[in-house]
Amino acid sequence: MHIYDSVQKTKLPFAPIRKGEASIYVCGPTVYDDAHLGHARSSLSFDLLSRTLKALNYKVTMGKNFTDIDDKIIKKVEETGKSMDEITSFYIERYLEDMAAIGIQRPDIEPKATESLQAIENMIQTLIDKDMAYVIDSGDVYFDTSKDSHYGDISHQVGEDEDNQSRVVHTSEKRNPKDFALWKACKGNDDICYDTPFSSGRPGWHIECSAMIEKHFSHAHGTEEYSIDIHGGGADLLFPHHENEAAQSRCATGHELAKYWMHNGFVQIDGEKMSKSLGNSFFLKDALKVYDGEVLRYYLNSVHYRNDFNFSEEELLTSKKRLDKIYRLKKRVSPGKGSAVNKTFKKSLLDAMSDDLNISIALAVIDDMVATTNDAFDTNPKNKALKKETLANIEFIDALLGFGSKEPFSYFQIGVDETLKAQIETLISERSDAKKEKNFERSDSIRNELIALGISIMDTADGTLWEKA
RNA sequence: GGAGCCAUCGCCAAGCGGUAAGGCCGCAGCCUGCAAAGCUGCUAUCCCCGGUUCAAAUCCGGGUGGCUCCUCCA
């Protein structure tokens, strides 16, 4: 396995802290609204990583947090009059449903900030005790970036001279412009506050990830140099979020946070980053109303995770066509039971994914397998061994990439209700009769009716099959 | 103002110094009553200008264009 490390900016062989194991932590969503396609892409990217490592026989432990204490959540509390818990638990449920719909394997650990307060407090206290953090008059606690000689190693964005060059004006009692809040003191009676020795307040954004990783991935920390193997998230988190996480963890624990850092590219709409502030975000739940989750999954995963992804309906339809081909092949071999995966096929797929998740090559390998197998069945439709192997191949695709698991006939009937189904079957039956009588004018006319209904048909040796377009 | 990323066939997209994968679309053919599906074949010298090298889409320098980060953000 090779992984592109966004800190070293190069592809590195994956050598985990512990042989045969892989610990991954991905920054999850702040739960104040529904997940958009960008969240989907991030989840999908690291889902592929996890599946690939599992296929390579690593014992994977995947963690993804829910940020459930945050300014925007508090704002939502004020706006709606609902409790913070009502809001966050609602969106956490929605998030999990949406992710399940696109085939994301549930992480092993899903920590929440509200359930990690002790760990957060401990880490901040440690930093204060080590004089790497300071409490200002208001009760806010800041991390002192000047005390960390490695601050900047992650994002390479902290220059020597710089500072007031930033287009953001910093005005506070911070000692250094780059210092960031570990803890925000209570602002008033209505604020969400937790008591700690340093002040009553709530955690800053960055500290939760460091604390959760420390809490949930607590290796013995003997001679181990890193807390986890891989830390992931969107490219926008590299700075300041990950830089700050790394600094906190390094200074509090004496260990580097992660051995490898991976960042996924953005989903764009018309060439611009999808984001709420630009008003161009596309909620996953809305996309799922129009497109099947499996098709969305194939589509959003069809471009390498590090590249930006420009969403277009036209390209999504192209992805569906490629997925369709896999299911058409599956129709030829279903129902049945798989035997063993073709070794060459399996190796080619794994080789592709082992190269920093080269999905393009992987999909090309699948397309090739589909064409070759179809060709073989065109020559010999009754090749039983090949049928079993093909089923096994498709099962492997599903395990590794997360698509192809549906019953193939039902895949082509998504969106067809019982009434329409009965109508289609009647028409097909009438058409078959017409064909037997060589009344082709009639049979073609029926076919046109079906096409008008969005149904395409194909005559095979086993009768007429139909598909919803 | 500072820091990065990207630019490959009509569209999407691999490539990581050794002579351009794959998909969609299009064209031709096989199959079919005709189709559809499936299969086969055909279609690019890599934004521009310099340089390094026996050899560059791939490395270096300079342009041009697009995107992102430095503020919440996947």
Side-chain angles (χ1 to χ4, degrees):
Chain A
M1 182 73 182
H2 284 251
I3 284 173
Y4 182 89
D5 177 49
S6 33
V7 169
Q8 293 188 47
K9 297 189 182 188
T10 185
K11 218 182 272 184
L12 300 169
F14 178 61
I17 300 163
R18 297 184 173 185
K19 199 168 181 297
E21 295 181 23
S23 48
I24 307 169
Y25 178 91
V26 183
C27 289
T30 301
V31 281
Y32 71 103
D33 207 345
D34 284 306
H36 63 203
L37 293 181
H39 294 105
R41 168 115 126 124
S42 181
S43 291
L44 249 8
S45 300
F46 294 102
D47 187 60
L48 278 187
L49 173 69
S50 159
R51 286 170 182 262
T52 299
L53 288 168
K54 284 175 186 169
L56 292 168
N57 295 319
Y58 286 96
K59 185 179 179 299
V60 175
T61 306
M62 166 78 100
K64 179 155 78 177
N65 70 307
F66 287 113
T67 298
D68 61 352
I69 308 173
D70 172 86
D71 288 356
K72 280 182 299 245
I73 296 170
I74 293 168
K75 195 172 163 225
K76 199 114 184 173
V77 168
E78 288 164 358
E79 285 169 4
T80 61
K82 290 180 181 161
S83 73
M84 190 166 91
D85 184 59
E86 270 180 288
I87 288 166
T88 58
S89 52
F90 176 77
Y91 286 113
I92 286 172
E93 275 313 303
R94 294 272 281 245
Y95 180 88
L96 291 172
E97 283 170 20
D98 287 348
M99 293 306 147
I102 53 170
I104 304 292
Q105 290 180 341
R106 194 88 183 252
D108 305 287
I109 304 166
E110 291 174 335
K112 298 176 196 165
T114 50
E115 293 169 356
S116 312
L117 288 160
Q118 190 59 52
I120 290 169
E121 181 187 320
N122 292 158
M123 187 169 271
I124 295 175
Q125 191 57 249
T126 303
L127 289 167
I128 293 172
D129 293 345
K130 286 187 173 180
D131 196 29
M132 318 242 15
Y134 53 94
V135 189
I136 64 171
D137 292 344
S138 66
D140 289 354
V141 184
Y142 282 95
F143 181 87
D144 187 343
T145 51
S146 70
K147 299 276 174 66
D148 178 18
S149 62
H150 288 286
Y151 191 76
D153 284 3
I154 300 297
S155 64
H156 315 290
Q157 281 204 33
V158 188
E160 307 292 317
D161 31 16
E162 49 63 41
D163 292 333
N164 25 14
Q165 302 282 40
S166 168
R167 61 191 169 85
V168 177
V169 184
H170 294 95
T171 47
S172 75
E173 301 167 59
K174 290 192 288 187
R175 290 178 188 168
N176 312 288
K178 296 286 180 189
D179 290 359
F180 54 91
L182 295 170
W183 189 258
K184 297 176 176 179
C186 219
K187 297 271 184 323
N189 294 333
D190 296 337
D191 210 351
I192 307 291
C193 302
Y194 305 93
D195 287 328
T196 67
F198 26 94
S199 72
S200 178
R202 57 194 163 85
W205 176 36
H206 315 297
I207 191 70
E208 68 178 78
C209 294
S210 292
M212 288 166 180
I213 289 170
E214 185 61 16
K215 177 179 171 184
H216 295 282
F217 293 87
S218 54
H219 289 151
H221 269 171
T223 56
E224 284 168 356
E225 202 180 338
Y226 304 93
S227 296
I228 53 169
D229 291 306
I230 300 166
H231 189 154
D236 48 355
L237 299 182
L238 185 55
F239 188 84
H241 189 52
H242 288 165
E243 186 73 61
N244 293 349
E245 279 184 36
Q248 294 158 352
S249 292
R250 176 163 52 230
C251 295
T253 71
H255 296 85
E256 283 300 320
L257 184 58
K259 192 165 182 185
Y260 307 92
W261 296 77
M262 294 173 78
H263 293 90
N264 63 276
F266 301 123
V267 174
Q268 303 185 325
I269 298 281
D270 297 329
E272 276 193 323
K273 178 186 175 183
M274 179 182 289
S275 77
K276 301 219 172 109
S277 47
L278 285 170
N280 64 353
S281 37
F282 197 164
F283 288 127
L284 223 199
K285 71 179 167 80
D286 291 328
L288 286 166
K289 285 177 195 159
V290 192
Y291 314 110
D292 181 56
E294 190 175 11
V295 174
L296 263 176
R297 179 184 174 91
Y298 187 108
Y299 176 52
L300 290 171
N301 261 345
S302 66
V303 176
H304 186 85
Y305 75 92
R306 266 189 285 124
N307 290 159
D308 282 338
F309 186 105
N310 200 207
F311 186 87
S312 102
E313 186 157 2
E314 194 186 333
E315 290 304 321
L316 187 145
L317 263 20
T318 296
S319 281
K320 181 179 181 317
K321 286 180 186 173
R322 288 181 91 171
L323 222 208
D324 286 352
K325 288 183 151 200
I326 296 170
Y327 275 108
R328 286 203 192 98
L329 173 62
K330 197 172 182 182
K331 280 205 283 197
R332 297 182 84 163
V333 299
S334 293
K337 234 185 144 199
S339 53
V341 200
N342 180 284
K343 279 185 183 164
T344 310
F345 174 68
K346 181 176 178 178
K347 185 175 185 308
S348 302
L349 263 191
L350 276 178
D351 283 351
M353 294 305 285
S354 298
D355 183 15
D356 192 38
L357 310 180
N358 193 326
I359 191 75
S360 292
I361 301 284
L363 296 180
V365 167
I366 291 171
D367 286 338
D368 183 61
M369 183 279 285
V370 171
T372 308
T373 311
N374 272 320
D375 198 19
F377 282 128
D378 283 350
T379 311
N380 178 10
K382 296 196 172 154
N383 189 335
K384 281 191 180 170
L386 185 59
K387 281 192 179 183
K388 286 173 179 291
E389 182 184 276
T390 302
L391 277 166
N393 289 347
I394 296 173
E395 280 166 19
F396 183 67
I397 293 171
D398 176 45
L400 185 64
L401 304 177
F403 52 79
S405 67
K406 285 193 177 81
E407 193 284 311
F409 293 92
S410 64
Y411 169 84
F412 287 107
Q413 297 178 8
I414 291 169
V416 177
D417 61 27
E418 288 305 311
T419 317
L420 181 57
K421 196 170 171 181
Q423 190 186 352
I424 292 164
E425 274 158 12
T426 306
L427 286 170
I428 287 178
S429 161
E430 285 175 18
R431 179 171 169 276
S432 297
D433 293 343
K435 275 182 60 171
K436 267 179 210 157
E437 296 159 13
K438 304 242 189 259
N439 185 349
F440 295 124
E441 204 177 314
R442 170 97 179 108
S443 68
D444 288 354
S445 141
I446 294 172
R447 180 167 59 202
N448 286 335
E449 273 187 65
L450 285 160
I451 289 169
L453 290 169
I455 304 301
S456 55
I457 56 171
M458 38 220 74
D459 295 328
T460 74
D462 302 321
T464 299
L465 303 180
W466 61 273
E467 292 179 358
K468 175 96 167 67

